[in-house]
Amino acid sequence: MSRRQYDDNRISAPEMTITVTSMIIGVGILTLPRVLAGTTESSDGWISIALAGCFGMLLAFILGKYGVLLGNETFYDFIGKLITKPIAAGLMIVVMFYYAMYASYEVRAIANISKTYLFERTPSEAIGLTFLLIVCYAVSGSRIGIIRLNTLFLPFVVVLTMVVLFLSNTIIVWQELKPVFVTKPGPLLTGAQESGFTMLGFESILFYSTMMKRPKDAPKAAVFGVAIPVVLYMGIYLACVGIFSQAGLQEIGYPAIELAKEVKIPGEFFERMESVFFTIWIMTIFNSCTMAFDMAMHAGYSVFKKGKRIHWVILLAPIIYYIGMMPKNVIAFAKYGSFISYIGYGLIILLAILYPFAKRKVKRSWASGSTGGNA
Amino acid sequence: MFYRSGRRNSRHRYQQGKHKRQQNNDREAIPLVSSINANLDRIAGILKAPEDLVVRSFKIGVNRHACAIICIDGLVDKALIQNQVIDPLLHHFTEQQVDSANKIATLVVDEVLTSFDIGENETYEDSIGSLLSGDSVLLIEGLATAIIIGSSGWNSRSVEEPQTESIIRGPREGFVEDIRTNTSLIRRRLREPNLRLITYKLGERARRTVVMMYIEGIVHPDLVEEAKRRIESIEIDDVEGSGTIEQWMSDSFLSPFPLIANTERPDKVTGGLLQGRIGILVDGDPFALVLPITFSSNLQSPEDYYQNWLIATLTRIMRLGAAFLATFLPALYISLLEFHHGMIPSKLAFSIAGAREGVPFPAVVEAFIMEITLELLREAGIRLPKPIGQTIGIVGGLVIGEAAVSAGIVSPVMVIVVAVTAISSFSFPSYSFAISLRMVRFAIMIAAAFFGLYGIILSYIMINIHFVNLYSFGIPYSTPFAPLFWGDWKDIILRAPVEYLKDRPRMLQTRDSIRMKRK
């Protein structure tokens, strides 16, 4: 007789991988092929994606390592011991605003893209508001529920991307992918930086690794979580170059969605695949947005330790909505996106640098703890 | 704890109830006295001597010892009382000399009565309780104890084919109103010594028999504890039927989705018990409850296991598709017509536009008119006597559909959409699940009317948010998709060949997870 038990509030390594992947895949990839076409030559953008992916995996690995150190503490309590409470509190408030902005970016992106592909007359404020309300409904539930939503939605998105890539197989002009390796290192690195922005989200491992059954698996799960988007991104990018050519790609607003437009569905059951593609894609954008909102709440709550979830939802939702609607046009919005990404990478790199110190400190406390026990 | 309580305040309520019941007991728990006349008067007095209370007094033995048998007419098997109680009593003591009442009582129980269901009790409340359950009470002069003879026998429906869950292949037996017959239907399928039947008398006034069943050694003990706690917390004058118990025990009353399954089929209950679930039978109700369930349980039918696995798998995929259509089809129609004309292939778009020519309403209104008409027809079909019910189907389906089209109120395409939706919603094994989807369908239609495809996907997301936060006795409703249980996928959409279904569902955390010996 075997006895299997699972704790209700714990997540397994595959679920953590799915979480990281869902957090990463969002709005970024929809525009990435255009951005890459602007910086790199021919189809060399995939090198940039790969470089960014490797860098992301490295950072994800380091941040995943925190999972073991944290134990049952929240991230704030842990980092507070390392760099004193006030600095940690300041850091967490930055984290809170970072994630609030992240969520607001997603809300605004949904509004913008829906306006382009689904609606003609509905105002984008209304679109964004309904989306945010649904997100509020999700975050006022349980954290474990948010993780489970990822598990429910990600398969749709991955399968859909696979189907689109498979169907686009027939219309790709392979000639467009050549020549290869013609871009200089400089532009490649610029492209890698741009790709890196779309990889943001793997730092969610910091906040969710404490919920894992075995936090030891966190680094591995995070690395896999980054690897899946990297592969998908490369596929989408190459297909875009193959179909639109590098020159044409620069003119297309959301190449990944346009890719779906070009695809012909066998049987011609319905037309304009891009609407369906984006509709399904909303699920993963929703996941990213929900988790960002949740982490903003979590960061805020860990500092102030006051209020229920619903209070934080009510507090943050108007802020998110307001800053999301602030950028006046697409250019301002793109700038806003880069701004968030810089903050994100700043935080991530800071934490990655802190890791060796954190580890030494924890080791020392473990060592002193054990000797204390013996004496 | 994994199987956690759903309602925070139910413990409190339970304790309150206990207190109240205690008071009742104080009032009525009066011991019987040794005088037979006093006892008879008191019992008749409490019941206010109704017409169906039968008192048969007689004297036994050489010294004419007074005895009386009381029962309620209609609840008892009269032949049984006559042959197994009165007859032996009158003939056994003709020659014997017995003085003390205690001796008579011992003799009566040990040697005289031939019926096998015999008990004793000492209070008026218990005696009356037994009387009202169909037992007979034997009182003897000088004895402060009543002898209870199990003699219940009343008319009940014979076992028939279930009305709501027909299947092509498999047993045709369905539960009936009589709980003893129902437990026997389960026992006959499951000769398992570890099958536990826990009996409750629920309802302050109705005292209805409710039986909770589970197989010890399979089911998770915490689940049993939690189910018991919830059953015991029921505090109501009459539980009325399985429906009331279901609502009382559910984790959430805000959800439209069933969190406890109901079924008329003994084989479904048996299957559930063997999977590590709990079954609940209620006296007077041919529906049994099975708990806990998840979303996917609603798409499973017992027939899936009687068919070849390929057929069963195909049927399940079809049901999943039906669930999708029943929920989203009208909404998709609305959103395509109102927002995304471009998505319809051009030839089809032309024919739809042609068919809609002359229809004065937007697609939403059209869809609502037809859907509401259909719901009305469905409801009317249930209420009307059977022969007329069929007529309603014909009138509704053919006449109204045809007439509405030719009158130009709705387009023929809309009729097709509504018909397909209706057919899809009839194809689920679980009726209560079909009702939930009906409700959700209307909500999604409204969402689609406002936001098109965007509204549909947001409603889909909302349903999923609801699912992940919904629990049935501690098991997330979205199991085994999230949290992931790969092993259980063998029997969710796919129904793997019987040889491969080696384990019980892992999400139920059974104590004995192996169904088959591994070679």
Side-chain angles (χ1 to χ4, degrees), chain A residues 4, chain B residues 490 502-503 506 513-519:
Chain A
R4 287 190 190 81
Chain B
K490 277 188 289 195
K502 288 185 173 153
D503 295 326
R506 280 186 198 180
S513 61
I514 299 159
R515 289 182 71 203
M516 287 174 217
K517 286 214 175 79
R518 290 193 173 83
K519 276 167 196 157

Side-chain angles (χ1 to χ4, degrees), chain A residues 34 57 68-69 73 84 159 179 208 237 272 283 321 348 356:
Chain A
R34 167 168 53 91
M57 281 190 241
V68 186
L69 301 184
E73 282 178 299
T84 74
V159 168
Y208 291 118
Y237 168 73
R272 295 188 61 175
M283 288 195 209
Y321 184 66
I348 291 166

Side-chain angles (χ1 to χ4, degrees), chain A residues 21-175:
Chain A
T21 305
S22 315
M23 185 72 201
I24 292 174
I25 300 180
V27 182
I29 177 61
L30 299 180
T31 53
L32 180 67
R34 167 168 53 91
V35 178
L36 282 181
T39 49
T40 58
E41 300 293 326
S42 181
S43 64
D44 284 346
W46 70 270
I47 306 171
S48 299
I49 298 180
L51 282 176
C54 291
F55 186 57
M57 281 190 241
L58 179 72
L59 288 175
F61 186 80
I62 296 172
L63 295 188
K65 283 277 184 189
Y66 270 108
V68 186
L69 301 184
L70 288 177
N72 282 325
E73 282 178 299
T74 64
F75 188 69
Y76 167 67
D77 291 336
F78 176 78
I79 207 92
K81 279 189 236 155
L82 199 65
I83 53 171
T84 74
K85 284 246 161 182
I87 302 178
L91 189 71
M92 288 316 266
I93 287 169
V94 173
V95 168
M96 185 179 93
F97 275 101
Y98 161 63
Y99 277 121
M101 285 193 291
Y102 196 115
S104 72
Y105 179 81
E106 309 271 342
V107 171
R108 179 61 187 270
I110 282 276
N112 284 355
I113 306 172
S114 301
K115 188 99 176 136
T116 318
Y117 286 98
L118 293 175
F119 301 110
E120 284 143 20
R121 296 184 302 272
T122 317
S124 57
E125 284 80 8
I127 302 170
L129 185 65
T130 35
F131 183 75
L132 186 63
L133 286 176
I134 305 286
V135 170
C136 288
Y137 176 41
V139 287
S140 47
S142 59
R143 294 194 87 197
I144 189 78
I146 296 171
I147 304 276
R148 284 179 187 149
L149 281 176
N150 297 332
T151 325
L152 287 178
F153 291 157
L154 190 71
F156 285 99
V157 175
V158 172
V159 168
L160 177 82
T161 315
M162 295 290 187
V163 167
V164 168
L165 288 180
F166 178 74
L167 292 178
S168 66
N169 194 28
T170 50
I171 48 170
I172 289 178
V173 184
W174 296 97
Q175 234 54 33

Side-chain angles (χ1 to χ4, degrees), chain A residues 92-350:
Chain A
M92 288 316 266
I93 287 169
V94 173
V95 168
M96 185 179 93
F97 275 101
Y98 161 63
Y99 277 121
M101 285 193 291
Y102 196 115
S104 72
Y105 179 81
E106 309 271 342
V107 171
R108 179 61 187 270
I110 282 276
N112 284 355
I113 306 172
S114 301
K115 188 99 176 136
T116 318
Y117 286 98
L118 293 175
F119 301 110
E120 284 143 20
R121 296 184 302 272
T122 317
S124 57
E125 284 80 8
I127 302 170
L129 185 65
T130 35
F131 183 75
L132 186 63
L133 286 176
I134 305 286
V135 170
C136 288
Y137 176 41
V139 287
S140 47
S142 59
R143 294 194 87 197
I144 189 78
I146 296 171
I147 304 276
R148 284 179 187 149
L149 281 176
N150 297 332
T151 325
L152 287 178
F153 291 157
L154 190 71
F156 285 99
V157 175
V158 172
V159 168
L160 177 82
T161 315
M162 295 290 187
V163 167
V164 168
L165 288 180
F166 178 74
L167 292 178
S168 66
N169 194 28
T170 50
I171 48 170
I172 289 178
V173 184
W174 296 97
Q175 234 54 33
E176 294 290 347
L177 298 181
K178 290 185 233 169
V180 287
F181 301 116
V182 287
T183 318
K184 293 199 177 63
L188 269 186
L189 283 179
T190 320
Q193 186 197 0
E194 293 290 345
S195 321
F197 288 170
T198 61
M199 305 272 172
L200 264 180
F202 55 81
E203 73 283 4
S204 56
I205 190 87
L206 274 179
F207 290 88
Y208 291 118
S209 62
T210 48
M211 293 170 75
M212 285 181 77
K213 266 180 237 172
R214 285 186 304 160
K216 255 193 183 147
D217 294 342
K220 208 170 68 187
V223 168
F224 275 116
V226 181
I228 295 172
V230 168
V231 173
L232 286 183
Y233 284 14
M234 280 204 237
I236 291 175
Y237 168 73
L238 289 178
C240 281
V241 175
I243 290 169
F244 304 114
S245 82
Q246 193 215 337
L249 201 52
Q250 296 177 32
E251 307 301 320
I252 297 172
Y254 303 101
I257 304 179
E258 294 295 318
L259 178 67
K261 193 177 191 169
E262 299 299 314
V263 163
K264 267 225 154 50
I265 299 151
E268 299 196 3
F269 193 69
F270 56 90
E271 285 173 2
R272 295 188 61 175
M273 174 78 168
E274 78 276 14
S275 302
V276 178
F277 181 84
F278 175 63
T279 308
I280 305 280
W281 206 264
I282 289 176
M283 288 195 209
T284 186
I285 301 180
F286 164 83
N287 276 336
S288 311
C289 188
T290 310
M291 279 190 281
F293 199 147
D294 177 60
M295 284 186 276
M297 278 163 58
H298 191 70
Y301 179 79
S302 62
V303 176
F304 297 106
K305 300 239 166 25
K306 273 203 177 79
K308 285 182 187 164
R309 277 185 88 81
I310 189 73
H311 299 146
W312 282 93
V313 173
I314 293 169
L315 177 78
L316 283 177
I319 302 176
I320 289 174
Y321 184 66
Y322 183 70
I323 48 180
M325 290 302 148
M326 272 210 298
K328 286 210 172 53
N329 50 37
V330 181
I331 299 159
F333 182 60
K335 270 190 186 157
Y336 177 55
S338 316
F339 173 63
I340 297 172
S341 304
Y342 281 121
I343 301 181
Y345 269 101
L347 284 169
I348 291 166
I349 290 168
L350 178 72

Side-chain angles (χ1 to χ4, degrees), chain B residues 274-295:
Chain B
L274 283 170
Q275 284 183 329
R277 299 178 209 265
I278 292 179
I280 293 175
L281 294 171
V282 185
D283 196 20
D285 192 342
F287 284 90
L289 303 176
V290 179
L291 59 96
I293 57 159
T294 61
F295 170 75

